[in-house]
Amino acid sequence: DGMNILFIVVDDLRPVLGCYGDKLVKSPNIDQLASQSVVFSNAYAQQALCAPSRVSFLTGRRPDTTRLYDFYSYWRVHAGNYSTMPQYFKENGYVTLSVGKVFHPGVSSNHSDDYPYSWSIPPFHPSTEKYENDKTCRGKDGKLYANLVCPVDVREMPKGTLPDIQSTEEAIRLLNVMKANKQKFFLAVGYHKPHIPLRYPQEFLKLYPLENIPLAPDPWVPEKLPSVAYNPWTDIRRRDDVEALNVSFPYGPLPEEFQRQIRQSYYAAVSYLDVQVGLLLNALDNVGLSNNTMVVFTADHGWSLGEHGEWAKYSNFDVATRVPLMFYVPGMTTSSVSQGMRVFPYLDPFSHTVGSVPQGQSEKVVELVSLFPTLAELAGLQVPPVCPEMSFHVALCTEGTSIVRYFSASEEKVQEGKEGCGDTARCFNEEPAALSQYPRPADAPQWNSDKPKLKDIRIMGYSMRTLDYRYTVWVQFNPKNFSANFEDVHAGELYMMETDPNQDYNIYNNTSHGWFFKKILG
């Protein structure tokens, strides 16, 4: 009774997927899922960092409510004893299972991935996860390094495998157990790649000859970018291959040839991920559960591939905050699926070429904080109430809103909204906005700008994205009482999407932005 849920979350995956219009990538299995799903082309994370983003969407609260902007506190102790999405499903009769990286491991999930609150059995972590940052990348000299760019021979890896391969195997095992026990389940599967190091089976490089790999369309630091907005990509600088380049701090740039290699390996890692997703979805077919299991596919945030002269996440730009988001709901996003029908035959990225078109594409701007109420509604559970203004004492509520209402909105309606917008303020007021934020320790890029610890945060960049613009204000922040002072604005950014889709030309200083400011405060 009721649908199962397969929730797939990927680390650091921006929407470089065929179903999002990327012409270079080979992602046939995720594209096939998209062809049976409603696909959101404007979905955004609440902070472009693993732990804060995951705790935010798993609790349905924003970072200012979880009070997690780094990796070093557990919300139940430091903010409030908030129920999580898996906990809610568990309390409603589901067996809840976690495989791979779902919660960020460590302090921020109580060193237990929030077990036993969130999960019915202890979460599974691949045994080879611990080798991720070891020297396993063979250099041209035959020696082993801890590189950023790290295609490997899987047979030479510890235990002859890689973490995401192990996670797929375990998730498939659990699907078989659930089928045998006839148990209703919420299975969350967290994949590591394309998170750095870009360590993946070397054969995937064949899909992406280096001469076909372009640089970012805007590989320079924008002239009017406030220095507080820039992230100096310290994490990749620590890798052996990047360190050897002796790139200047904080702006670089990296040599062009190496930029291409990073981009090539990111794409290769995405195709490796696509194979894992394909095997997992094929297993859902094999156990005969594709007709009563909804599949959600998303990422915790994006990853800059040289845009604005930046690498990694740690910013408020689209490249860092925008994520893929799709929902497969049998009978809703696709005509009803009969028992045993094959929906997800495995597609080999080395031989499969034709991309499939998404079933329903929604341009609506949505946020990951809305996942919890959305999944509750899709599963037919009571949707958690909207949080009051101050909700530290409220165990079950959400700061997102269910986006199920957008599932059937056809393309015409989206276009309609664009017409007849003479009254700009009225049109802008009505459009949905996604809010993201990022902390900084100082106005200028320094060694801890990417990942400041709570005690070192002095500035918070609050960013609002609608279909028409991205508006960001960097304001004074007090980490002792978690307060932002909007009367002390250090810098601002305003990008108009129609003329500046890549967010390269900041017009904040030559625009009156009182209206935007009011809206972000609202």
Side-chain angles (χ1 to χ4, degrees), residues 74 76 84 86-87 90-91 96 103 109-123:
Y74 179 42
R76 293 186 192 274
T84 67
Q87 177 181 356
K90 183 172 159 230
E91 288 163 358
T96 55
F103 278 101
S109 56
N110 204 29
H111 298 285
S112 66
D113 293 323
D114 198 45
Y115 175 78
Y117 290 102
S118 286
W119 311 108
S120 305
I121 60 172

Side-chain angles (χ1 to χ4, degrees), residues 39-71:
V39 176
F40 285 88
S41 55
N42 279 302
Y44 297 89
Q46 275 45 77
Q47 189 182 324
L49 188 63
C50 305
S53 173
R54 288 163 186 263
V55 168
S56 170
F57 70 68
L58 289 164
T59 60
R61 318 279 182 120
R62 298 181 187 280
D64 282 348
T65 307
T66 65
R67 294 188 158 171
L68 181 70
Y69 313 108
D70 57 17
F71 301 92

Side-chain angles (χ1 to χ4, degrees), residues 453-466:
K453 290 186 170 171
L454 175 65
K455 66 176 175 41
D456 297 322
I457 297 172
R458 295 292 174 272
I459 302 161
M460 188 68 75
Y462 289 95
S463 194
M464 179 169 64
R465 173 71 156 86
T466 69

Side-chain angles (χ1 to χ4, degrees), residues 61-217:
R61 318 279 182 120
R62 298 181 187 280
D64 282 348
T65 307
T66 65
R67 294 188 158 171
L68 181 70
Y69 313 108
D70 57 17
F71 301 92
Y72 308 107
S73 69
Y74 179 42
W75 77 93
R76 293 186 192 274
V77 174
H78 289 271
N81 191 9
Y82 311 144
S83 293
T84 67
M85 174 163 63
Q87 177 181 356
Y88 189 60
F89 278 91
K90 183 172 159 230
E91 288 163 358
N92 278 284
Y94 284 72
V95 177
T96 55
L97 306 158
S98 173
V99 172
K101 184 174 170 183
V102 180
F103 278 101
H104 190 86
V107 177
S108 63
S109 56
N110 204 29
H111 298 285
S112 66
D113 293 323
D114 198 45
Y115 175 78
Y117 290 102
S118 286
W119 311 108
S120 305
I121 60 172
F124 169 86
H125 282 280
S127 60
T128 59
E129 212 171 83
K130 57 177 172 293
Y131 308 115
E132 267 295 274
N133 294 313
D134 289 5
K135 295 186 182 235
T136 55
C137 322
R138 201 167 290 290
K140 291 202 168 64
D141 57 6
K143 294 193 184 119
L144 291 176
Y145 294 92
N147 286 344
L148 168 62
V149 172
C150 185
V152 295
D153 181 339
V154 177
R155 294 165 308 187
E156 288 180 2
M157 291 300 101
K159 303 191 181 174
T161 187
L162 291 170
D164 286 342
I165 295 172
Q166 290 184 295
S167 291
T168 303
E169 290 164 353
E170 175 64 9
I172 291 172
R173 188 188 74 78
L174 288 170
L175 285 177
N176 282 287
V177 171
M178 290 297 106
K179 171 71 174 174
N181 298 349
K182 296 189 167 56
Q183 286 173 299
K184 190 164 63 169
F185 62 84
F186 177 106
L187 168 59
V189 182
Y191 285 115
H192 280 272
K193 293 304 121 186
H195 191 289
I196 66 167
L198 298 169
R199 180 166 161 260
Y200 55 86
Q202 60 198 14
E203 57 270 25
F204 286 94
L205 272 178
K206 289 197 202 87
L207 294 171
Y208 303 103
L210 201 55
E211 60 272 19
N212 296 354
I213 306 292
L215 294 174

